[in-house]
Amino acid sequence: MDTSDELLLDIQHLHTAFRVHDHFYDAVDDISLTLHKNEILALVGESGSGKSTLATSIIGLHNPRNTKVTGDIMYNELNLVGLNEALFNRIRGNDIGMIFQDPLSALNPLMRIGEQIAESLVYHTKLNEKEREARVLQLLEQVGIPDPPLTAHQYPHELSGGMRQRVMIAIAIACKPPIIIADEPTTALDVTIQAQILDLLEDIQKEIGSGILLITHDLGVVAETADTVAVMYSGQIVEQGSVYQVFEHPLHPYTRSLLRSMPQADSDDEELHVIQGTVPSLVNMQRTGDRFAPRIPWMPASSHEEHPVLHEVEPGHLVRCTCYKTFYFPDEKEAAAAGAPQNANEGE
Amino acid sequence: MSLIEIKDLNIHYPIRSGFFNRITDYVYAVDGINFDIEEGETYGLIGESGSGKSTTGKAIVGLEKVTSGQILYNGQDVTNRHERKKIKYNKDVQMIFQDSMSSLNPRKRIEDIIAEPIRNFESMTDTEERDRVKELLDIVGMPSDSIYKYPHEFSGGQRQRIGVARAVATHPKLIVADEPVSALDLSVQAQVLNFMKQIQKEFNISYLFISHDLGVVKHMCRNLAIMHRGRLVEVGTREDIYNNPQHIYTKRLLAAIPKVNPSGREADKAHRREVEREFQDHQDKWYDKDGKVFPLQQITATHSVALPPDEVTQIKSEVG
């Protein structure tokens, strides 16, 4: 990524809290991120880490009665937090395109594909009907649909999953938005289709120069497509950096555990690494100290910071808490022996 | 003798149309496949959606009517229902489903869910039954007080483990696992896979592991088959398939797996596009004139590929 590229989105200290039994609980807790032109920023985490909540906060899809969003999301001198609905409608689709995970439930089953794509053109452009039709066909062709005139007249249920996802992308890029948010765009697809869709996203990005916020739980997808990565756990960013920094020198215990639990072992007797415990729910989340600490109980309390903050270990590579310095896996005996002061269990 | 032998299995669905709703054509969901599962092994069946892999799995547990062909269990024919009943086949073969939310009855407590196969096949007193359920929950690492809870009170990974507990309740010989971890997060997936392996070692269970995730299959299975358009395109050991793939479809699947190695991604992408181009351009070389997969031809003792005969002799000479 070229950092000199124009800054598109500047998120500072964003909090998104949901109301549960008359209390507000932070699902997104003090997140700061930036998205530049031509950048693919991947947001990784398990379900419940708050990654989709962050995305829906950016495009303002939360019900203000049950959700409190605070902080700043700056887009071209405009703060998207607390923006009124009329202004937001001008931004959605035109400036920020969104690709949802499940195209069958995101597309309207009663509208023909062509009409659905044309919808945002009606709101955001001054094209007349003829021009819109031409643009729809051009978009369908751009996303690699074999017979655009036919598809434009079909309904969502007549298309396969991969084709539906292509239609979603066509809708998202209809107005050439500078920002595209893709929430798990390939999770429901077969691997070969997934590869095609990711290639398509990259091609489109090169063509219109958007910044893409890619939300996924698939580390392989991130390694293949992203420029920068932010790993989320319990509503916070625990590690952030370029894709090379995060995958080649992962530091935070959570990132390292995730990479280790991927099935890629060659030996068939080898057990997969399991992260102890479970992702805490919104209400039961521990909000002081290191939130990942309960899942690495063999690490002494002294290795964690009292109020973990992001440390810059390399330019652009941020890690939360200091526990990464002494972190080891329980089965790494050599590392434990050579490493920091801790109580080795399998000592004698 | 293998535990399960699948012989020329065909499952066709009729397509009815016209004025009298007559059968005009068939969907060849499973079109003549053969494979064996040995005792205590995990056999992988890989394919994309629509390839017929789940239909095959359902046919083995008896949830799908077989059009023609045979399923042999310890050498005995279990293709139709009466034969299955005679030898308690339904007790010995169980299934784990992909979607744990829809495969557990939302109105039953965990105790009743796990006890259902026990009640079907074994006669136990209430206390024996409860002890057995608690023991099963313990095997999959769940607290014993969860027997009074309902499925919605658990997370996805826990529900999937309840599904595993139910499947092992009757001491089965074979479990058909249809995409057991596709809906789970990475860390939870690792947990469930580890449990499946532990249980396998403990009770000497065979698995038919149906999946589209080649990474998971590589971890779990020693022998595997790749399925496409209702037929097998390549069968072999893990090493045969992953290190020496011969069919373009297998190569295409392998090339499409995202790798966790950002510095090699440009090369991976180029390779993927090249394979994809070959797949698109040379359909006639890999598939017959109706677009079907060729019959399997053996190239080594363990490795078979669906290719036209002249291609196979060429590969054989290269290998030999």
Side-chain angles (χ1 to χ4, degrees):
Chain A
M1 185 201 64
D2 191 0
T3 37
S4 61
D5 272 332
E6 187 190 331
L7 184 67
L8 285 174
L9 204 58
D10 187 8
I11 303 173
Q12 291 299 333
H13 305 291
L14 183 76
H15 291 257
T16 303
F18 292 120
R19 185 209 297 268
V20 181
H21 305 307
D22 282 334
H23 273 92
F24 281 96
Y25 295 96
D26 271 345
V28 168
D29 196 350
D30 197 29
I31 282 196
S32 302
L33 275 177
T34 54
L35 181 69
H36 296 83
K37 208 168 171 332
N38 291 319
E39 178 184 356
I40 299 185
L41 167 63
L43 217 50
V44 206
E46 293 177 276
S47 31
S49 60
K51 54 195 195 308
S52 293
T53 309
L54 176 62
T56 37
S57 304
I58 295 172
I59 53 166
L61 289 181
H62 289 299
N63 180 352
R65 285 172 65 190
N66 298 319
T67 328
K68 239 184 346 207
V69 183
T70 52
D72 299 302
I73 304 173
M74 299 305 291
Y75 166 70
N76 284 350
E77 317 281 298
L78 187 69
N79 194 344
L80 301 184
V81 174
L83 198 65
N84 70 48
E85 203 56 11
L87 265 174
F88 232 132
N89 275 338
R90 280 206 260 160
I91 286 178
R92 289 186 200 125
N94 198 30
D95 299 85
I96 306 178
M98 178 106 187
I99 301 165
F100 293 93
Q101 173 176 3
D102 180 5
L104 193 57
S105 56
L107 294 172
N108 185 338
L110 299 177
M111 256 171 113
R112 292 179 198 276
I113 299 296
E115 293 170 51
Q116 302 200 36
I117 299 173
E119 210 182 358
S120 68
L121 297 173
V122 174
Y123 285 113
H124 299 300
T125 63
K126 293 199 176 90
L127 302 177
N128 65 32
E129 206 175 332
K130 266 257 169 65
E131 291 164 333
R132 279 204 301 268
E133 208 179 295
R135 174 87 179 120
V136 166
L137 296 182
Q138 186 208 335
L139 280 165
L140 285 172
E141 196 170 332
Q142 194 179 356
V143 296
I145 283 187
D147 188 355
L150 172 76
T151 309
H153 280 271
Q154 284 178 316
Y155 289 96
H157 74 265
E158 296 176 78
L159 304 179
S160 67
M163 287 296 154
R164 278 184 216 132
Q165 200 54 280
R166 284 169 197 266
V167 170
M168 282 293 306
I169 294 175
I171 294 174
I173 63 168
C175 300
K176 299 193 177 167
I179 301 169
I180 297 173
I181 299 175
D183 189 357
E184 307 260 10
T186 58
T187 308
L189 305 175
D190 280 324
V191 271
T192 50
I193 313 288
Q194 166 172 299
Q196 287 167 14
I197 296 285
L198 291 176
D199 284 353
L200 174 66
L201 265 179
E202 279 183 64
D203 291 346
I204 282 169
Q205 189 207 26
K206 276 187 197 123
E207 230 172 282
I208 59 179
S210 313
I212 297 184
L213 180 64
L214 177 71
I215 296 169
T216 180
H217 68 271
D218 189 330
L219 293 169
V221 169
V222 176
E224 291 256 311
T225 49
D227 300 307
T228 43
V229 183
V231 183
M232 279 183 78
Y233 183 78
S234 281
Q236 294 181 321
I237 291 175
V238 293
E239 185 160 2
Q240 188 183 348
S242 79
V243 69
Y244 302 102
Q245 287 169 334
V246 173
F247 279 88
E248 282 163 14
H249 308 286
L251 291 176
H252 195 275
Y254 181 58
T255 319
R256 291 176 58 189
S257 309
L258 271 187
L259 284 167
R260 223 169 167 234
S261 57
M262 285 192 82
Q264 50 191 347
D266 288 314
S267 146
D268 129 294
D269 291 321
E270 209 171 307
E271 286 231 328
L272 288 172
H273 175 71
V274 172
I275 306 176
Q276 298 186 14
T278 51
V279 180
S281 71
L282 190 58
V283 178
N284 302 327
M285 206 183 279
Q286 154 198 351
R287 274 160 219 282
T288 52
D290 187 351
R291 296 182 181 187
F292 193 61
R295 305 190 67 181
I296 43 172
W298 62 89
M299 293 298 291
S302 59
S303 66
H304 301 291
E305 280 179 304
E306 204 171 323
H307 299 288
V309 289
L310 285 167
H311 302 274
E312 187 154 22
V313 283
E314 262 183 297
H317 192 176
L318 305 173
V319 184
R320 191 174 291 275
C321 195
T322 47
C323 60
Y324 75 88
K325 289 181 187 160
T326 54
F327 179 74
Y328 61 96
F329 289 107
D331 52 347
E332 290 175 340
K333 282 174 207 148
E334 308 91 314
Q342 18 63 25
N343 43 343
N345 292 329
E346 44 296 83
E348 54 277 37
Chain B
M1 185 172 52
S2 308
L3 183 73
I4 289 271
E5 290 166 61
I6 310 286
K7 292 201 164 150
D8 194 29
L9 184 74
N10 282 279
I11 298 167
H12 302 166
Y13 299 117
I15 303 172
R16 291 171 184 274
S17 60
F19 185 64
F20 293 110
N21 220 10
R22 270 190 288 224
I23 296 170
T24 47
D25 202 356
Y26 289 92
V27 176
Y28 299 94
V30 177
D31 196 13
I33 63 169
N34 296 284
F35 63 91
D36 301 340
I37 304 173
E38 304 296 333
E39 207 177 314
E41 82 160 345
T42 307
Y43 195 89
L45 192 59
I46 306 162
E48 293 186 283
S49 37
S51 60
K53 59 190 194 303
S54 291
T55 311
T56 310
K58 282 185 186 163
I60 291 173
V61 287
L63 290 173
E64 200 73 56
K65 205 166 169 265
V66 174
T67 310
S68 69
Q70 267 189 323
I71 301 169
L72 301 183
Y73 173 66
N74 285 332
Q76 275 178 292
D77 191 337
V78 288
T79 319
N80 72 48
R81 194 151 54 93
H82 310 291
E83 287 148 348
R84 283 199 293 270
K85 275 208 160 156
K86 263 187 262 170
I87 58 165
K88 292 238 158 128
Y89 177 77
N90 293 336
K91 178 178 173 245
D92 289 348
V93 177
Q94 293 287 325
M95 188 155 180
I96 302 172
F97 297 90
Q98 171 175 10
D99 182 0
S100 55
M101 197 67 221
S102 60
S103 64
L104 303 178
N105 188 337
R107 306 211 292 191
K108 278 187 173 177
R109 289 175 308 177
I110 299 309
E111 180 182 17
D112 297 315
I113 288 173
I114 297 181
E116 190 170 347
I118 303 174
R119 288 172 193 165
N120 284 343
F121 296 108
E122 273 159 66
S123 50
M124 280 189 180
T125 63
D126 283 0
T127 40
E128 277 174 356
E129 186 190 285
R130 180 156 297 174
D131 288 345
R132 176 89 183 110
V133 170
K134 283 183 178 166
E135 187 191 320
L136 286 164
L137 283 172
D138 188 48
I139 292 172
V140 295
M142 304 265 297
S144 56
D145 64 344
S146 37
I147 58 172
Y148 301 114
K149 293 187 179 167
Y150 288 89
H152 71 264
E153 296 176 64
F154 296 96
S155 68
Q158 287 174 319
R159 277 202 296 270
Q160 200 55 280
R161 285 190 286 182
I162 292 168
V164 175
R166 174 175 64 179
V168 295
T170 56
H171 297 297
K173 302 282 185 324
L174 173 74
I175 293 179
V176 176
D178 189 359
E179 307 254 15
V181 293
S182 310
L184 305 176
D185 268 325
L186 202 54
S187 63
V188 185
Q189 169 179 312
Q191 237 169 39
V192 173
L193 291 178
N194 282 351
F195 274 121
M196 286 180 67
K197 276 197 159 184
Q198 265 172 35
I199 290 166
Q200 176 168 45
K201 265 187 214 145
E202 218 163 302
F203 301 107
N204 194 29
I205 297 172
S206 309
Y207 288 118
L208 175 64
F209 197 93
I210 300 171
S211 181
H212 69 271
D213 188 329
L214 287 130
V216 173
V217 171
K218 189 176 183 184
H219 176 74
M220 294 293 288
C221 312
R222 197 171 285 129
N223 291 303
L224 47 115
I226 310 238
M227 201 165 172
H228 184 46
R229 299 183 187 168
R231 292 188 175 176
L232 300 182
V233 294
E234 196 154 354
V235 177
T237 63
R238 178 168 43 197
E239 290 73 30
D240 291 337
I241 303 280
Y242 286 88
N243 304 338
N244 186 23
Q246 291 297 336
H247 199 278
I248 187 71
Y249 185 73
T250 317
K251 289 182 191 165
R252 183 168 169 252
L253 274 183
L254 289 171
I257 312 174
K259 322 242 174 346
V260 197
N261 173 20
S263 36
R265 67 186 185 185
E266 287 309 315
D268 286 342
K269 197 168 163 183
H271 172 66
R272 187 167 74 226
R273 294 208 161 165
E274 192 185 306
V275 172
E276 185 67 30
R277 203 173 310 120
E278 197 180 335
F279 178 76
Q280 298 297 351
D281 295 351
H282 298 286
Q283 287 280 338
D284 50 329
K285 182 180 158 194
W286 306 96
Y287 297 94
D288 69 10
K289 58 185 189 306
D290 302 326
K292 286 189 175 179
V293 175
F294 287 107
L296 284 175
Q297 309 275 340
Q298 207 167 42
I299 53 171
T300 66
T302 53
H303 195 174
S304 303
V305 188
L307 285 177
D310 50 322
E311 286 278 336
V312 175
T313 33
Q314 196 191 328
I315 293 169
K316 264 188 188 164
S317 61
E318 280 168 25
V319 172

